[in-house]
């Protein structure tokens, strides 16, 4: 991509092209990263390493470079939306990475579409974000969306002619979005959700068992789909409760669509391995970038 191509991308708005070129005629694009407090470990170090890698690969150079600006969002009050507005209007950001959380990227992606600037969603799996009429400038690097996982799960169910299932989930925005996408795909493909139960997001095995809802599941279905916001922890609690209730695997089939991808958002070892090698070059270990360790 040459200088004229880059400048033309941003020249739709008055004065936008001039903001990209410094006094020496070099292109400098300010990119805003919207992260999440206590969720992304060493994010600024990783972003800096990524920029360095782009220089080493010849994608960036002295004539065409980026400046990274990083701030946190994803709090209780949609801070990331305010951060995006500040970055665009005051810091003159011309592209976004993030926000980290699903709730805020929905709003910021709409804003970026209005401003006609690129936005990259690295944790964005919501099926609704596929609508290019609403999210015209959004690109997602997560390799699996919620709807694609639902379609794959549905294909498995149809293969074994399991057309009646129970859906187990929890309260909260992430679980709601996932469960809604699954229910829509199931409806389209002829899989009937005969029972849907919801637990509190912090429910433990004892709470689930004492709720009486496992008996309801046992009375209505033998195929149980677990769609939690925190797959590993909540699935472990549910399976402990189910075992206590006598719902063994000789009578019930348990399907955990997210278990394999919970840690790296769909990236397999061919991508994760080289990434870890790169972060080692800047003095970080795997635990330094692990989303699970707090």
């Amino acid at each position: 991509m040459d200088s004229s191509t880059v400048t033309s991308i941003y020249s739709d708005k008055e004065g936008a092209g001039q903001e990209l070129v410094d006094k020496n005629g070099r292109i400098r694009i300010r990119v805003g990263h919207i992260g999440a407090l206590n969720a992304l470990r060493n994010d600024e170090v990783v972003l800096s390493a990524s920029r360095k890698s782009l220089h080493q690969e010849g994608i960036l150079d002295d004539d065409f470079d980026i400046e990274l600006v990083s701030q946190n969002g994803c709090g209780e009050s949609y801070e990331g939306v305010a951060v995006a507005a500040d970055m665009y209007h005051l810091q003159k950001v011309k592209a976004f990475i993030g926000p980290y959380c699903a709730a805020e990227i929905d709003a910021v992606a709409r804003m970026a579409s209005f401003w006609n600037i690129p936005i990259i969603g690295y944790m964005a799996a919501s099926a609704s974000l596929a609508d290019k009429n609403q999210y015209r400038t959004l690109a997602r690097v997560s390799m699996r969306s919620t709807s694609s996982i639902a379609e794959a799960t549905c294909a498995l169910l149809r293969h074994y002619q399991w057309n009646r299932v129970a859906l187990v989930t929890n309260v909260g925005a992430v679980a709601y979005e996932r469960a809604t996408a699954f229910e829509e795909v199931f409806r389209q493909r002829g899989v009937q959700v005969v029972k849907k139960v919801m637990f509190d997001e912090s429910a433990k095995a004892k709470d689930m068992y004492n709720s009486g809802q496992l008996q309801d599941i046992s009375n209505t279905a033998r195929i149980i789909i677990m769609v939690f916001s925190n797959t590993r922890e909540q699935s472990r609690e549910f399976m402990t409760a189910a075992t206590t209730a006598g719902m063994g695997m000789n009578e019930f089939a348990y399907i955990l669509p997210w278990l394999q991808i919970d840690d790296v958002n769909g990236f397999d070892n061919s991508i994760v391995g080289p990434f870890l090698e790169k972060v080692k070059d800047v003095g970080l270990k795997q635990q330094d970038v692990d989303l699970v360790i707090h």
Side-chain angles (χ1 to χ4, degrees):
M1 183 181 291
D2 58 26
S3 300
S4 61
T5 304
V6 175
T7 304
S8 69
I9 293 175
Y10 297 94
S11 61
D12 291 343
K13 297 183 181 293
E14 184 178 355
Q18 285 74 17
E19 293 174 358
L20 299 174
V21 182
D22 67 12
K23 62 181 181 180
N24 297 317
R26 300 172 301 184
I27 293 176
R28 296 292 183 266
I29 298 176
R30 185 167 292 177
V31 178
H33 169 249
I34 305 175
L37 188 64
N38 298 323
L40 294 172
R41 299 163 58 83
N42 297 297
D43 55 332
E44 293 190 20
V45 178
V46 172
L47 285 170
S48 178
S50 300
R51 177 176 172 272
K52 180 180 179 181
S53 178
L54 291 173
H55 272 276
Q56 293 172 343
E57 294 171 14
I59 298 173
L60 299 178
D61 55 28
D62 192 51
D63 292 325
F64 173 39
D65 203 353
I66 62 174
E67 177 187 348
L68 294 165
V69 178
S70 186
Q71 291 180 239
N72 285 326
C74 299
E76 297 180 355
S77 304
Y78 284 78
E79 290 91 340
V81 179
V83 167
D86 178 84
M87 284 182 169
Y88 178 74
H89 290 292
L90 300 182
Q91 301 184 57
K92 306 303 180 184
V93 159
K94 296 303 177 186
F96 289 112
I97 301 174
Y100 170 88
C101 52
E104 289 187 1
I105 197 167
D106 177 87
V108 176
R110 292 174 187 269
M111 294 160 64
S113 178
F114 176 76
W115 295 327
N116 195 32
I117 64 175
I119 176 169
I120 299 173
Y122 55 92
M123 294 290 284
S126 172
S128 65
L129 295 173
D131 184 354
K132 285 301 178 182
N133 292 320
Q134 298 290 331
Y135 311 99
R136 295 183 298 107
T137 60
L138 172 65
R140 293 188 285 177
V141 295
S142 52
M143 297 177 68
R144 296 177 178 90
S145 67
T146 303
S147 56
S148 67
I149 296 172
E151 290 282 4
T153 304
C154 196
L156 174 68
L157 296 172
R158 294 298 300 276
H159 175 76
Y160 288 105
Q161 298 183 349
W162 293 341
N163 297 320
R164 292 167 55 86
V165 302
L167 189 65
V168 182
T169 183
N170 61 270
V171 299
V174 174
Y176 174 80
E177 184 275 325
R178 290 180 174 184
T180 300
F182 268 69
E183 289 177 290
E184 176 62 21
V185 170
F186 286 173
R187 184 188 62 79
Q188 295 173 355
R189 304 296 181 226
V191 174
Q192 183 182 2
V193 178
V194 296
K195 185 66 180 179
K196 178 181 178 181
V197 300
M198 297 178 65
F199 296 105
D200 187 81
E201 199 164 16
S202 60
K204 299 299 183 183
K206 184 178 179 181
D207 303 320
M208 295 177 179
Y209 176 77
N210 290 336
S211 71
Q213 295 194 87
L214 278 80
Q215 186 62 47
D216 294 338
I217 297 173
S218 179
N219 292 338
T220 55
R222 288 294 180 269
I223 312 302
I224 302 170
I225 315 293
M226 286 178 273
V227 183
F228 293 115
S229 54
N230 186 336
T231 301
R232 291 183 303 172
E233 297 300 325
Q234 291 169 307
S235 295
R236 183 186 300 117
E237 297 294 336
F238 178 77
M239 291 303 300
T240 300
T243 301
T244 303
M247 298 169 60
M249 294 185 186
N250 57 329
E251 293 186 51
F252 297 85
Y254 296 91
I255 299 176
L256 297 81
W258 260 271
L259 187 59
Q260 187 266 331
I261 66 163
D262 230 21
D263 293 339
V264 291
N265 202 36
F267 298 125
D268 59 24
N269 288 335
S270 66
I271 296 176
V272 176
F275 168 74
L276 292 177
E277 289 299 319
K278 288 181 180 295
V279 299
K280 287 179 182 177
D281 292 340
V282 293
L284 298 179
K285 300 177 182 178
Q286 179 172 341
Q287 56 266 35
D288 295 324
V289 293
D290 194 335
L291 296 181
V292 179
I293 300 174
H294 299 290

